[in-house]
Amino acid sequence: MRRILGLPDWGVYGLVVIGLLVFSLARRENADAPPAPAPPDEMEGALLGPVTPFDPSVTVHAPDGPYQPASGTAFSIARDGRWVTARHVVEGCRQPALVVGGGRAVAADVRLAPRADVAVLLTQGGPAAVPVAAETPLRRGQRAFHPGFPQGRPGEVTSRLLGRETLRVTGRGAREEPVLAWAEVGRTAGLTGGLSGLSGAPVLDRQGRAVGVTLAESPRRGRIYTTAPDTFGPAVRGQQHAGEALVGEPVTIDNYGVVSDSLRRDLRVAQVVCLST
């Protein structure tokens, strides 16, 4: 039997076959589907219906006096420097800013939504965007996650969707607005008392997409109020470009603290403060 480079013929043929196999695998297109989303929560119920005149209402009083500086939360929706927060966090503030760490804050311009408790903040560039899913159908009982800065400190809450309500604001900025009511079912270990400072936080679904903005709470009822799709969608429409590089991560009751910490560390969720009034 002939030998080439000290190998028998069958050895040479084997090396050729292996080489061709490696070459073909290296050139093969990888079109694997992304991992499937988590299965539906067993407590999720019927799809949320449209706004009706029979939705229950909740009344919140806003003081009539001068604007008092307050902190809140915002989240990035575009890397070119677009952020979403609650309108009442920055309305009346001459110079809102986003805290970026190290005792530093970046000043932001403000665009107030005309018909919703939503504001868009504009800065010179920003971090990766949180995916926005303003048109995603919502179901009663579905879980949401609210990462932000309750009481001015890092913290997060998880909740279950109860249904629609009408938020009636009296005093400064009196208005009526459809909102969603959520039952608080969990929060950061050691976080007690009210959730002031969580206003403006994203309402994240299980896929890490923002489906609304956190607006208010009712501590005695254990409820959190957020924007409804009817107001959130129009307020952010066109703000997140189709080609935006989105960074989302599945969220569960086991990892929502870790995911929230990651969002704050990457400044995709940041604290909002008022530098002057």
Side-chain angles (χ1 to χ4, degrees), residues 150-217:
Q151 303 175 19
R153 302 191 300 270
E156 52 277 335
V157 173
T158 183
S159 63
R160 292 268 189 193
L161 179 58
L162 296 174
R164 292 183 178 275
E165 293 195 17
T166 299
L167 181 67
R168 290 193 171 94
V169 179
T170 62
R172 187 181 70 244
R175 66 186 186 281
E176 288 190 5
E177 179 180 342
V179 295
L180 301 184
W182 306 72
E184 181 188 332
V185 294
R187 59 169 60 189
T188 306
L191 174 62
T192 60
L195 299 174
S196 174
L198 196 63
S199 292
V203 183
L204 301 180
D205 66 6
R206 292 179 296 108
Q207 297 180 49
R209 305 174 300 179
V211 296
V213 181
T214 307
L215 302 180
E217 65 163 332

Side-chain angles (χ1 to χ4, degrees), residues 51-52 55-62 86 88 115-118 163-170 173-181 199 213-218 221 224-228 231:
V51 176
T52 75
D55 292 336
S57 64
V58 59
T59 300
V60 174
H61 178 71
H88 71 265
R115 299 180 183 85
D117 192 355
V118 176
R164 292 183 178 275
E165 293 195 17
T166 299
L167 181 67
R168 290 193 171 94
V169 179
T170 62
R175 66 186 186 281
E176 288 190 5
E177 179 180 342
V179 295
L180 301 184
S199 292
V213 181
T214 307
L215 302 180
E217 65 163 332
S218 176
R221 303 176 70 189
I224 297 172
Y225 298 99
T226 73
T227 55
T231 54

Side-chain angles (χ1 to χ4, degrees), residues 79-258:
R79 191 179 282 275
D80 63 2
R82 295 172 187 265
W83 311 71
V84 170
T85 188
R87 175 175 177 150
H88 71 265
V89 170
V90 295
E91 189 172 21
C93 174
R94 294 183 182 177
Q95 187 55 78
L98 294 157
V99 178
V100 295
R104 297 178 296 120
V106 175
D109 293 328
V110 180
R111 302 291 184 270
L112 301 177
R115 299 180 183 85
D117 192 355
V118 176
V120 176
L121 305 180
L122 305 176
T123 60
Q124 295 295 319
V130 173
V132 172
E135 310 299 331
T136 299
L138 303 179
R139 292 182 177 274
R140 296 179 187 274
Q142 79 172 67
R143 191 182 296 276
F145 305 90
H146 313 254
F149 294 86
Q151 303 175 19
R153 302 191 300 270
E156 52 277 335
V157 173
T158 183
S159 63
R160 292 268 189 193
L161 179 58
L162 296 174
R164 292 183 178 275
E165 293 195 17
T166 299
L167 181 67
R168 290 193 171 94
V169 179
T170 62
R172 187 181 70 244
R175 66 186 186 281
E176 288 190 5
E177 179 180 342
V179 295
L180 301 184
W182 306 72
E184 181 188 332
V185 294
R187 59 169 60 189
T188 306
L191 174 62
T192 60
L195 299 174
S196 174
L198 196 63
S199 292
V203 183
L204 301 180
D205 66 6
R206 292 179 296 108
Q207 297 180 49
R209 305 174 300 179
V211 296
V213 181
T214 307
L215 302 180
E217 65 163 332
S218 176
R220 288 184 296 179
R221 303 176 70 189
R223 292 189 178 184
I224 297 172
Y225 298 99
T226 73
T227 55
D230 319 77
T231 54
F232 179 57
V236 300
R237 186 170 296 133
Q239 298 291 342
Q240 189 168 86
H241 309 303
E244 188 72 39
L246 302 177
V247 178
E249 183 177 349
V251 196
T252 69
I253 57 173
D254 297 318
N255 75 354
Y256 77 97
V258 174

